[in-house]
Amino acid sequence: MTTSVPPKSSVATVFGSFVGQLETEANLRDEIRDSVKDVDRLSRELAVALSDIHSNGASERLSEIVKEANGRFEEVRKGMEGLIAKVPTDQYYIFHENWKYTVQKLVFAAALICYLEHGRLASLEEIALVIGVKSDRKNGFHLDLEDYLFGLLSLASELSRYCVNRVTAGDYKSPGKIFTFLGELGGGFRLLNLKNSELRRRFDALKYDEKKVEEVIYDLSVRGLLVRDGDAPKEPGTFRVIDEKTRLSADFSSDSTSMQE
């Protein structure tokens, strides 16, 4: 019994068969990058529109700011449709690096809008619907879990900044709500086994965001300016964020004065 031996192929023949495949993949990657650029531009415009929440008089225009930002998501969904059409259904993670940072920015924007409108955390399913993608990976182009989590961490940083600006504008009620929200968000992340990953390192920044808001709460409390639900609004006063060293120094000075008396 004899075994047939396949004819030998030259190196040129072997590699020649790869040329078309590589060119097709390179062209597809370029098309995907072009689509991502369009969506990324929209995400930057969204960020600019939402940055108005930090401006003077933002509280009076908050509904207008949110409405404008919500309207921009219509363009985002159209852009995502174009991107989704170019990505083969079984190659999502092959090209995921191209759009993950853009999607994270969109998650942040959608989560911030949800907080401003409803004072709560937007779920992965809700944000996926707003962006125009699926929430389950089994259904094709979807919102990756890590992209969702990274977007929430960006939300935490933005809210810590928003907290300071609200107090500067004389709003002494928002800091308490933001502090509670960030505490719950941090508690949720602590339930996850993030190990030694980029997400874990980014999560560490959330602790500083919580601390920053905590210092705002402390400063308002010692000045008698903190407003909780049901309290009457108070007149705007001098406000500054203090760090732990300043706090300890102030406490020590207070103790010293008491002892002298």
Side-chain angles (χ1 to χ4, degrees), residues 131-149:
I131 294 175
V133 299
K134 303 296 184 182
S135 58
D136 191 335
R137 63 187 301 172
K138 296 177 182 177
N139 297 326
F141 198 109
H142 61 283
L143 174 55
D144 181 72
L145 176 58
E146 284 201 1
D147 291 342
Y148 170 71
L149 296 176

PDB file of all heavy atoms in Angstrom, residues 131-149:
ATOM      1  N   ILE A 131     -26.277  54.018  23.264  1.00  0.00           N
ATOM      2  CA  ILE A 131     -25.180  54.064  22.298  1.00  0.00           C
ATOM      3  C   ILE A 131     -25.586  53.448  20.964  1.00  0.00           C
ATOM      4  O   ILE A 131     -25.107  53.865  19.904  1.00  0.00           O
ATOM      5  CB  ILE A 131     -23.937  53.355  22.865  1.00  0.00           C
ATOM      6  CG1 ILE A 131     -23.402  54.123  24.077  1.00  0.00           C
ATOM      7  CG2 ILE A 131     -22.840  53.218  21.812  1.00  0.00           C
ATOM      8  CD1 ILE A 131     -22.250  53.432  24.780  1.00  0.00           C
ATOM      9  N   GLY A 132     -26.441  52.437  21.031  1.00  0.00           N
ATOM     10  CA  GLY A 132     -26.877  51.773  19.802  1.00  0.00           C
ATOM     11  C   GLY A 132     -26.190  50.456  19.547  1.00  0.00           C
ATOM     12  O   GLY A 132     -25.992  50.075  18.381  1.00  0.00           O
ATOM     13  N   VAL A 133     -25.824  49.748  20.636  1.00  0.00           N
ATOM     14  CA  VAL A 133     -25.187  48.434  20.494  1.00  0.00           C
ATOM     15  C   VAL A 133     -25.945  47.427  21.351  1.00  0.00           C
ATOM     16  O   VAL A 133     -26.829  47.792  22.128  1.00  0.00           O
ATOM     17  CB  VAL A 133     -23.697  48.483  20.921  1.00  0.00           C
ATOM     18  CG1 VAL A 133     -22.916  49.446  20.043  1.00  0.00           C
ATOM     19  CG2 VAL A 133     -23.554  48.865  22.393  1.00  0.00           C
ATOM     20  N   LYS A 134     -25.560  46.165  21.242  1.00  0.00           N
ATOM     21  CA  LYS A 134     -26.191  45.119  22.031  1.00  0.00           C
ATOM     22  C   LYS A 134     -25.585  45.095  23.439  1.00  0.00           C
ATOM     23  O   LYS A 134     -24.461  45.546  23.655  1.00  0.00           O
ATOM     24  CB  LYS A 134     -26.002  43.752  21.373  1.00  0.00           C
ATOM     25  CG  LYS A 134     -26.518  43.672  19.949  1.00  0.00           C
ATOM     26  CD  LYS A 134     -28.016  43.862  19.871  1.00  0.00           C
ATOM     27  CE  LYS A 134     -28.529  43.687  18.441  1.00  0.00           C
ATOM     28  NZ  LYS A 134     -29.986  43.928  18.342  1.00  0.00           N
ATOM     29  N   SER A 135     -26.327  44.551  24.376  1.00  0.00           N
ATOM     30  CA  SER A 135     -25.821  44.426  25.740  1.00  0.00           C
ATOM     31  C   SER A 135     -25.243  43.040  26.017  1.00  0.00           C
ATOM     32  O   SER A 135     -24.505  42.856  26.982  1.00  0.00           O
ATOM     33  CB  SER A 135     -26.938  44.719  26.752  1.00  0.00           C
ATOM     34  OG  SER A 135     -28.034  43.827  26.557  1.00  0.00           O
ATOM     35  N   ASP A 136     -25.561  42.070  25.157  1.00  0.00           N
ATOM     36  CA  ASP A 136     -25.089  40.695  25.334  1.00  0.00           C
ATOM     37  C   ASP A 136     -24.154  40.326  24.190  1.00  0.00           C
ATOM     38  O   ASP A 136     -24.509  40.480  23.014  1.00  0.00           O
ATOM     39  CB  ASP A 136     -26.287  39.740  25.355  1.00  0.00           C
ATOM     40  CG  ASP A 136     -25.897  38.334  25.798  1.00  0.00           C
ATOM     41  OD1 ASP A 136     -24.727  37.943  25.638  1.00  0.00           O
ATOM     42  OD2 ASP A 136     -26.786  37.614  26.303  1.00  0.00           O
ATOM     43  N   ARG A 137     -22.973  39.831  24.503  1.00  0.00           N
ATOM     44  CA  ARG A 137     -21.988  39.493  23.484  1.00  0.00           C
ATOM     45  C   ARG A 137     -22.483  38.412  22.534  1.00  0.00           C
ATOM     46  O   ARG A 137     -21.992  38.287  21.410  1.00  0.00           O
ATOM     47  CB  ARG A 137     -20.671  39.066  24.134  1.00  0.00           C
ATOM     48  CG  ARG A 137     -20.757  37.810  24.975  1.00  0.00           C
ATOM     49  CD  ARG A 137     -19.448  37.542  25.714  1.00  0.00           C
ATOM     50  NE  ARG A 137     -18.328  37.392  24.807  1.00  0.00           N
ATOM     51  CZ  ARG A 137     -17.059  37.300  25.204  1.00  0.00           C
ATOM     52  NH1 ARG A 137     -16.763  37.370  26.497  1.00  0.00           N
ATOM     53  NH2 ARG A 137     -16.094  37.139  24.332  1.00  0.00           N
ATOM     54  N   LYS A 138     -23.450  37.616  22.964  1.00  0.00           N
ATOM     55  CA  LYS A 138     -23.976  36.551  22.115  1.00  0.00           C
ATOM     56  C   LYS A 138     -24.744  37.119  20.910  1.00  0.00           C
ATOM     57  O   LYS A 138     -24.947  36.421  19.916  1.00  0.00           O
ATOM     58  CB  LYS A 138     -24.909  35.639  22.920  1.00  0.00           C
ATOM     59  CG  LYS A 138     -24.218  34.891  24.060  1.00  0.00           C
ATOM     60  CD  LYS A 138     -25.225  34.067  24.842  1.00  0.00           C
ATOM     61  CE  LYS A 138     -24.562  33.349  26.014  1.00  0.00           C
ATOM     62  NZ  LYS A 138     -25.558  32.597  26.831  1.00  0.00           N
ATOM     63  N   ASN A 139     -25.149  38.379  21.032  1.00  0.00           N
ATOM     64  CA  ASN A 139     -25.965  38.986  19.977  1.00  0.00           C
ATOM     65  C   ASN A 139     -25.166  39.806  18.980  1.00  0.00           C
ATOM     66  O   ASN A 139     -25.734  40.495  18.130  1.00  0.00           O
ATOM     67  CB  ASN A 139     -27.049  39.867  20.615  1.00  0.00           C
ATOM     68  CG  ASN A 139     -28.016  39.062  21.458  1.00  0.00           C
ATOM     69  OD1 ASN A 139     -28.322  37.910  21.138  1.00  0.00           O
ATOM     70  ND2 ASN A 139     -28.481  39.644  22.548  1.00  0.00           N
ATOM     71  N   GLY A 140     -23.837  39.742  19.072  1.00  0.00           N
ATOM     72  CA  GLY A 140     -23.006  40.445  18.097  1.00  0.00           C
ATOM     73  C   GLY A 140     -22.254  41.617  18.695  1.00  0.00           C
ATOM     74  O   GLY A 140     -21.728  41.532  19.806  1.00  0.00           O
ATOM     75  N   PHE A 141     -22.216  42.713  17.968  1.00  0.00           N
ATOM     76  CA  PHE A 141     -21.479  43.902  18.405  1.00  0.00           C
ATOM     77  C   PHE A 141     -22.129  44.427  19.690  1.00  0.00           C
ATOM     78  O   PHE A 141     -23.254  44.895  19.682  1.00  0.00           O
ATOM     79  CB  PHE A 141     -21.517  44.981  17.315  1.00  0.00           C
ATOM     80  CG  PHE A 141     -20.462  46.038  17.479  1.00  0.00           C
ATOM     81  CD1 PHE A 141     -19.389  46.103  16.617  1.00  0.00           C
ATOM     82  CD2 PHE A 141     -20.546  46.970  18.502  1.00  0.00           C
ATOM     83  CE1 PHE A 141     -18.415  47.086  16.759  1.00  0.00           C
ATOM     84  CE2 PHE A 141     -19.594  47.950  18.664  1.00  0.00           C
ATOM     85  CZ  PHE A 141     -18.523  48.004  17.786  1.00  0.00           C
ATOM     86  N   HIS A 142     -21.399  44.403  20.787  1.00  0.00           N
ATOM     87  CA  HIS A 142     -21.986  44.674  22.088  1.00  0.00           C
ATOM     88  C   HIS A 142     -21.132  45.658  22.898  1.00  0.00           C
ATOM     89  O   HIS A 142     -20.021  46.022  22.491  1.00  0.00           O
ATOM     90  CB  HIS A 142     -22.110  43.368  22.872  1.00  0.00           C
ATOM     91  CG  HIS A 142     -20.786  42.695  23.117  1.00  0.00           C
ATOM     92  ND1 HIS A 142     -20.125  41.992  22.124  1.00  0.00           N
ATOM     93  CD2 HIS A 142     -19.971  42.657  24.198  1.00  0.00           C
ATOM     94  CE1 HIS A 142     -18.975  41.541  22.598  1.00  0.00           C
ATOM     95  NE2 HIS A 142     -18.846  41.930  23.838  1.00  0.00           N
ATOM     96  N   LEU A 143     -21.667  46.071  24.021  1.00  0.00           N
ATOM     97  CA  LEU A 143     -20.932  46.906  24.962  1.00  0.00           C
ATOM     98  C   LEU A 143     -20.139  45.991  25.873  1.00  0.00           C
ATOM     99  O   LEU A 143     -20.704  45.268  26.698  1.00  0.00           O
ATOM    100  CB  LEU A 143     -21.901  47.780  25.771  1.00  0.00           C
ATOM    101  CG  LEU A 143     -21.275  48.613  26.898  1.00  0.00           C
ATOM    102  CD1 LEU A 143     -20.149  49.495  26.377  1.00  0.00           C
ATOM    103  CD2 LEU A 143     -22.346  49.451  27.585  1.00  0.00           C
ATOM    104  N   ASP A 144     -18.824  46.023  25.720  1.00  0.00           N
ATOM    105  CA  ASP A 144     -17.951  45.177  26.529  1.00  0.00           C
ATOM    106  C   ASP A 144     -18.028  45.601  27.997  1.00  0.00           C
ATOM    107  O   ASP A 144     -18.096  46.788  28.317  1.00  0.00           O
ATOM    108  CB  ASP A 144     -16.508  45.300  26.022  1.00  0.00           C
ATOM    109  CG  ASP A 144     -15.539  44.438  26.796  1.00  0.00           C
ATOM    110  OD1 ASP A 144     -15.588  43.200  26.622  1.00  0.00           O
ATOM    111  OD2 ASP A 144     -14.738  44.998  27.574  1.00  0.00           O
ATOM    112  N   LEU A 145     -17.996  44.634  28.897  1.00  0.00           N
ATOM    113  CA  LEU A 145     -18.137  44.920  30.324  1.00  0.00           C
ATOM    114  C   LEU A 145     -17.041  45.855  30.825  1.00  0.00           C
ATOM    115  O   LEU A 145     -17.306  46.797  31.579  1.00  0.00           O
ATOM    116  CB  LEU A 145     -18.123  43.615  31.120  1.00  0.00           C
ATOM    117  CG  LEU A 145     -18.156  43.760  32.651  1.00  0.00           C
ATOM    118  CD1 LEU A 145     -19.388  44.540  33.098  1.00  0.00           C
ATOM    119  CD2 LEU A 145     -18.104  42.387  33.318  1.00  0.00           C
ATOM    120  N   GLU A 146     -15.806  45.610  30.426  1.00  0.00           N
ATOM    121  CA  GLU A 146     -14.709  46.466  30.890  1.00  0.00           C
ATOM    122  C   GLU A 146     -14.860  47.894  30.369  1.00  0.00           C
ATOM    123  O   GLU A 146     -14.542  48.855  31.083  1.00  0.00           O
ATOM    124  CB  GLU A 146     -13.354  45.889  30.486  1.00  0.00           C
ATOM    125  CG  GLU A 146     -12.917  44.707  31.332  1.00  0.00           C
ATOM    126  CD  GLU A 146     -11.403  44.475  31.263  1.00  0.00           C
ATOM    127  OE1 GLU A 146     -10.706  45.241  30.578  1.00  0.00           O
ATOM    128  OE2 GLU A 146     -10.939  43.522  31.904  1.00  0.00           O
ATOM    129  N   ASP A 147     -15.344  48.059  29.149  1.00  0.00           N
ATOM    130  CA  ASP A 147     -15.567  49.394  28.614  1.00  0.00           C
ATOM    131  C   ASP A 147     -16.627  50.128  29.447  1.00  0.00           C
ATOM    132  O   ASP A 147     -16.512  51.331  29.712  1.00  0.00           O
ATOM    133  CB  ASP A 147     -16.015  49.326  27.152  1.00  0.00           C
ATOM    134  CG  ASP A 147     -14.896  48.847  26.232  1.00  0.00           C
ATOM    135  OD1 ASP A 147     -13.724  48.895  26.641  1.00  0.00           O
ATOM    136  OD2 ASP A 147     -15.207  48.410  25.101  1.00  0.00           O
ATOM    137  N   TYR A 148     -17.639  49.404  29.861  1.00  0.00           N
ATOM    138  CA  TYR A 148     -18.683  49.974  30.720  1.00  0.00           C
ATOM    139  C   TYR A 148     -18.091  50.418  32.056  1.00  0.00           C
ATOM    140  O   TYR A 148     -18.336  51.545  32.516  1.00  0.00           O
ATOM    141  CB  TYR A 148     -19.780  48.934  30.938  1.00  0.00           C
ATOM    142  CG  TYR A 148     -20.807  49.297  31.985  1.00  0.00           C
ATOM    143  CD1 TYR A 148     -21.742  50.310  31.767  1.00  0.00           C
ATOM    144  CD2 TYR A 148     -20.849  48.617  33.201  1.00  0.00           C
ATOM    145  CE1 TYR A 148     -22.694  50.632  32.722  1.00  0.00           C
ATOM    146  CE2 TYR A 148     -21.797  48.929  34.173  1.00  0.00           C
ATOM    147  CZ  TYR A 148     -22.715  49.933  33.932  1.00  0.00           C
ATOM    148  OH  TYR A 148     -23.654  50.258  34.890  1.00  0.00           O
ATOM    149  N   LEU A 149     -17.264  49.558  32.657  1.00  0.00           N
ATOM    150  CA  LEU A 149     -16.675  49.871  33.959  1.00  0.00           C
ATOM    151  C   LEU A 149     -15.706  51.045  33.883  1.00  0.00           C
ATOM    152  O   LEU A 149     -15.678  51.901  34.765  1.00  0.00           O
ATOM    153  CB  LEU A 149     -15.977  48.633  34.534  1.00  0.00           C
ATOM    154  CG  LEU A 149     -16.896  47.454  34.854  1.00  0.00           C
ATOM    155  CD1 LEU A 149     -16.076  46.252  35.319  1.00  0.00           C
ATOM    156  CD2 LEU A 149     -17.921  47.837  35.923  1.00  0.00           C
TER     157      LEU A 149
END
